[in-house]
Amino acid sequence: MSTPNPVNLLDFDVDGLVAWFAGLGEKPFRARQVMRWMHREGCDDFDAMTDVAKSLRAKLRDVAVIRPPVPVRDSISADGTRKWLLDVGNANAVETVFIPETSRGTLCVSSQAGCALDCAFCSTGKQGFNRNLSAAEIIGQLWLANKLLGAARADAGELAPDLEAGEKDNGRIISNVVMMGMGEPLANFDNVVTALRLMLDDHAYGLSRRRVTVSTSGVVPAMDRLRDECPVALAVSLHASNDTLRDRLVPINQKYPLRELMAACRRYLERAPRDFVTFEYVMLDGVNDSDAHARELVALVRDTPCKFNLIPFNPFPDSGFQRSPAERIRRFAGILIEAGIVTTTRKTRGDDVDAACGQLAGQVQDRTRRTVRLHQARENMR
C-alpha cells in the first residue's frame, strides 16, 4: 500500500539517495542503480528498472515517486529555440529554454518561481517572487528536457557536443546547462547545489564542470560557498561600470558593491574549472552603453581574468528601456577588445516566443506584492 506523501527521488544527489536507501535497509549500490535508471535512462517507472531486485521495486512503488514538473506549454521559435512552461504548483509556473546550436545544445534552467532581486531591465523580476524551487523541480527541468528532446543524439541529426581535451561524450542532446533562467540561483543555494551535483555525477548526467554555468547577480557570500562546495563555471550579471549606476540597475549592488564583487570573482577563480569569469552586460540605449562606460569597465576588471558577453536588450511591456543600436554595441565592444578583453555579442535567440535573455516570466503568485505596488505607482502618476 503506497504512502500518502511519497518521496520524490529527484530531490536527492547520490549521497542523499544512498542515505535514504540506507534507511530502507538497502545497500549503496542499489541507490546508484536507481539513480542511473532515473537520470541516464530518463525512467520514472520502477517496474521498468529490470536489474533492480523485484522486492526493492515493490518497496519503491509504495514509498517513492520520480516526478518532474509538468509541462503546460511547449513553444518553438523560428530559430529552433524551444521553451517550456512548467507547472510547479499553487498557480506558479516556471520557464525552461533549450537553445540548439550546430555543435552543442544548451538548456537554460530556472531556480525560483519569480525573483526577489528586481533588476530594472528583467521581465522575471517584474513578476515578483513566490518561492525557491526544490532540487527535484530544478533537476527535473533537465530530466524532462532530455525526455522530450530524445536522449539519443541520433534522433537529433548532426547535433553533438564540441568536446574539449579530456571530456567524455555523454551521448546527450543537451551538452551544456546554464542556471540563467528565472530566479537568482545563489539565493536558493542548497537546492541548486544538489541539482548541480546531479548534473556533474557520472551516475546521472556526467556533464563537465566547464559545461555547467551558474549566473549570479552578485550574492557574494554564496559565491564563496559555491567555490568551496561545488565550483562550476561562473557568470556574473554585471550590467554597469560604476556603483551609482549598478545600484539602480541591479539593486543587490547596494549590499555587495563592485569592490566586494570583484574581490569575490578573484577568489572564485582560485578553484574554478575555467580560468576566467564571464561578465554579462545588457546593452541599454543611453543608460550604460557609452564609450565612457566601456572605459570604466576596462579599469574595473583590470585585475580580474574575464570575458564579456554583451547582451542586446530584449524588450518587454513597460520596461522603460530600449536596446542599444547595433553600431553603438559594436563600438562599445571595440573598446573592450582593444584593451585585450575577450568580448562577444550574444545573438538574440527565441525572442519571438519570449524565450530570450531577460524575457522569461512564467506565472508567479507574487508574495512580495511587487506587481501590486507597480500598478499603484502607475495609477498615482496619472
Side-chain angles (χ1 to χ4, degrees):
M1 182 175 179
S2 60
T3 60
N5 295 301
V7 172
N8 191 347
L9 299 190
L10 290 177
D11 264 321
F12 296 118
D13 60 17
V14 67
D15 290 340
L17 196 62
V18 166
W20 187 80
F21 267 64
L24 296 179
E26 298 290 341
K27 296 184 183 299
F29 84 92
R30 292 298 188 191
R32 296 186 180 95
Q33 273 184 314
V34 172
M35 178 164 282
R36 288 193 291 270
W37 276 105
M38 276 195 299
H39 296 293
R40 284 189 188 175
E41 305 300 327
C43 181
D44 59 357
D45 180 0
F46 296 119
D47 286 331
M49 299 179 180
T50 52
D51 62 351
V52 175
K54 286 185 178 180
S55 59
L56 176 55
R57 282 184 261 166
K59 189 185 299 185
L60 291 173
R61 283 198 306 271
D62 289 341
V63 299
V65 293
I66 299 168
R67 184 178 294 155
V70 177
V72 294
R73 189 163 65 238
D74 185 345
S75 307
I76 302 179
S77 168
D79 64 19
T81 298
R82 190 167 175 181
K83 182 179 77 170
W84 295 281
L85 181 69
L86 306 177
D87 183 2
V88 292
N90 298 318
N92 290 295
V94 300
E95 294 184 329
T96 305
V97 178
F98 175 67
I99 306 165
E101 298 177 84
T102 302
S103 60
R104 72 177 69 190
T106 300
L107 190 71
C108 181
V109 171
S110 293
S111 58
Q112 296 178 311
C115 184
L117 297 191
D118 195 20
C119 294
F121 49 82
C122 181
S123 179
T124 302
K126 300 311 172 192
Q127 304 300 306
F129 174 76
N130 185 270
R131 65 174 177 86
N132 289 329
L133 299 185
S134 68
E137 290 166 336
I138 297 169
I139 201 63
Q141 295 169 64
L142 178 55
W143 188 98
L144 187 66
N146 269 321
K147 189 95 166 177
L148 295 175
L149 292 168
R153 193 174 62 234
D155 294 338
E158 298 301 316
L159 188 65
D162 52 336
L163 297 177
E164 299 180 16
E167 287 189 306
K168 296 178 181 178
D169 184 348
N170 66 11
R172 299 272 186 180
I173 292 172
I174 297 169
S175 60
N176 296 60
V177 175
V178 292
M179 298 294 306
M180 296 182 184
M182 295 174 63
E184 163 56 60
L186 296 187
N188 185 13
F189 187 90
D190 291 338
N191 291 332
V192 165
V193 166
T194 295
L196 292 176
R197 287 175 173 149
L198 284 167
M199 294 174 197
L200 303 174
D201 198 302
D202 285 341
H203 295 289
Y205 299 93
L207 295 173
S208 163
R209 290 181 186 272
R210 298 165 63 87
R211 292 185 172 276
V212 177
T213 301
V214 168
S215 176
T216 179
S217 295
V219 186
V220 167
M223 291 170 64
D224 289 332
R225 284 188 66 194
L226 187 66
R227 175 202 61 186
D228 294 338
E229 297 184 28
C230 190
V232 292
L234 182 70
V236 173
S237 296
L238 191 58
H239 308 308
S241 57
N242 59 69
D243 281 319
T244 300
L245 180 57
R246 196 165 192 267
D247 284 352
R248 177 162 69 95
L249 296 179
V250 187
I252 198 173
N253 193 73
Q254 298 168 35
K255 188 171 184 179
Y256 305 113
L258 286 170
R259 177 179 55 81
E260 295 182 26
L261 178 58
M262 291 300 115
C265 289
R266 291 189 290 273
R267 290 193 299 272
Y268 193 89
L269 287 172
E270 295 169 3
R271 300 185 184 178
R274 293 189 179 274
D275 57 2
F276 60 86
V277 172
T278 298
F279 288 121
E280 298 165 312
Y281 197 95
V282 66
M283 299 297 294
L284 304 170
D285 187 24
V287 176
N288 66 349
D289 62 349
S290 70
D291 290 0
H293 290 129
R295 288 190 288 268
E296 277 188 324
L297 286 177
V298 171
L300 177 69
V301 305
R302 182 173 290 118
D303 299 323
T304 307
C306 66
K307 75 172 187 179
F308 270 84
N309 189 0
L310 305 183
I311 305 169
F313 174 66
N314 295 304
F316 58 89
D318 300 321
S319 69
F321 295 106
Q322 298 294 323
R323 177 183 297 181
S324 300
E327 177 58 24
R328 174 92 299 269
I329 296 174
R330 187 199 64 77
R331 181 175 174 85
F332 192 95
I335 293 172
L336 299 178
I337 292 168
E338 188 175 338
I341 300 171
V342 174
T343 304
T344 59
T345 299
R346 182 178 296 176
K347 180 181 178 182
T348 297
R349 300 288 300 271
D351 55 337
D352 57 330
V353 293
D354 290 337
C357 182
Q359 289 186 318
L360 301 190
Q363 297 171 1
V364 179
Q365 297 302 303
D366 180 22
R367 292 197 292 111
T368 67
R369 300 188 76 250
R370 183 179 301 150
T371 51
V372 173
R373 294 198 306 272
L374 283 172
H375 177 73
Q376 289 174 340
R378 292 189 185 114
E379 289 294 315
N380 292 336
M381 291 174 65
R382 290 181 178 177

